[in-house]
């Protein structure tokens, strides 16, 4: 089944499934719990986020992340999630905190988020500056404060932003991505 933005009913069902009340902003962070992905920063965002923050993933920092987030009533640390559709359907915006040194390549989480109509935000050190700019988003300066991130994330929750990132996702779906790679390989053969 193709990824798509959730209907109002999809969003309501997803939030009910996750125990999240209707009408509050939901921030999603999804990835490997590894230092290069900066999941500790997601916990800091949760401390300041005026809604619920979902942190999904597994890795060497899981115990540390769970312990740090345990004191934050609006943080849900879910561990590894096989089927992430419910998370994207519940979310209003996604924080991409990885640093370029993590050699991201083409992070599928931003394509999945965009395909679900979820705006994503990163900073100048994230390695996704071009993709942010293509979706009409200015990346945050490297080292931006948690408060600046929260402000920018909240600004990204509008319906217009959802439409912009969805259009970007349609231009960057798996088939077009694979075709671009085939074209590159064929050009060097």
């Amino acid at each position: 089944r193709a990824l798509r933005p959730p209907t109002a009913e999809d969003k309501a069902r997803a939030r009910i499934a996750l125990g999240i009340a209707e009408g509050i902003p939901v921030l999603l962070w999804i990835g490997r719990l590894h230092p290069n992905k900066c999941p500790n920063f997601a916990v800091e965002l949760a401390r300041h986020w005026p809604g619920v923050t979902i942190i999904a993933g597994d890795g060497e920092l899981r115990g540390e992340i769970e312990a740090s987030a345990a004191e934050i009533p609006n943080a849900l640390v879910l561990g590894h999630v096989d089927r992430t559709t419910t998370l994207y359907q519940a979310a209003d915006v996604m924080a991409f905190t990885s640093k370029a040194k993590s050699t991201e390549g083409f992070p599928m989480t931003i394509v999945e988020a965009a395909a679900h109509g979820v705006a994503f935000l990163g900073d100048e050190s994230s390695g996704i500056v071009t993709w942010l700019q293509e979706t009409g988003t200015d990346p945050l300066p490297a080292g931006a404060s948690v408060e600046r991130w929260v402000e920018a994330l909240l600004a990204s929750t509008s319906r217009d932003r959802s439409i912009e990132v969805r259009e970007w996702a349609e231009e960057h779906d798996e088939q077009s991505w694979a075709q671009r790679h085939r074209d590159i390989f064929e050009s060097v053969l």
Side-chain angles (χ1 to χ4, degrees), residues 33-53:
L33 300 179
H34 183 275
N36 286 348
K37 306 286 187 175
C38 304
N40 288 310
F41 193 70
V43 174
E44 289 308 308
L45 289 170
R47 288 184 205 286
H48 298 273
W49 185 250
V52 172
T53 301

Side-chain angles (χ1 to χ4, degrees):
R1 179 174 130 167
L3 303 179
R4 61 175 174 74
T7 64
E9 294 80 23
D10 292 335
K11 188 172 275 293
R13 268 193 304 274
R15 288 181 177 214
I16 288 168
L18 293 166
I20 299 171
E22 189 176 325
I24 59 172
V26 176
L27 170 62
L28 175 62
W29 185 96
I30 188 166
R32 191 166 41 99
L33 300 179
H34 183 275
N36 286 348
K37 306 286 187 175
C38 304
N40 288 310
F41 193 70
V43 174
E44 289 308 308
L45 289 170
R47 288 184 205 286
H48 298 273
W49 185 250
V52 172
T53 301
I54 300 169
I55 300 172
D58 206 352
E60 65 187 70
L61 296 180
R62 183 168 178 185
E64 182 180 329
I65 297 303
E66 288 176 336
S68 296
E71 63 194 46
I72 306 168
N74 64 334
L76 299 175
V77 179
L78 303 180
H80 175 78
V81 176
D82 284 324
R83 297 183 55 89
T84 57
T85 298
T86 300
L87 306 183
Y88 289 113
Q89 289 178 336
D92 294 305
V93 66
M94 185 180 82
F96 188 84
T97 59
S98 294
K99 301 302 173 203
K101 67 182 176 186
S102 66
T103 60
E104 276 303 323
F106 191 75
M108 290 306 296
T109 56
I110 65 171
V111 175
E112 291 169 349
H116 283 95
V118 177
F120 53 91
L121 185 65
D123 69 17
E124 293 171 339
S125 66
S126 67
I128 64 166
V129 170
T130 300
W131 297 310
L132 287 166
Q133 292 167 337
E134 287 178 358
T135 64
T137 303
D138 290 326
L140 289 166
S145 69
V146 171
E147 294 80 11
R148 178 66 187 103
W149 269 80
V150 169
E151 178 185 316
L153 287 162
L154 284 169
S156 294
T157 62
S158 75
R159 174 130 174 85
D160 290 342
R161 290 293 304 129
S162 175
I163 292 167
E164 289 171 359
V165 297
R166 174 64 186 169
E167 289 170 351
W168 178 85
E170 288 171 354
E171 295 171 9
H172 293 81
D173 68 358
E174 290 179 22
Q175 289 179 342
S176 64
W177 181 74
Q179 183 60 50
R180 275 182 257 178
H181 280 77
R182 276 192 295 275
D183 293 346
I184 291 169
F185 286 126
E186 289 174 4
S187 73
V188 296
L189 294 177

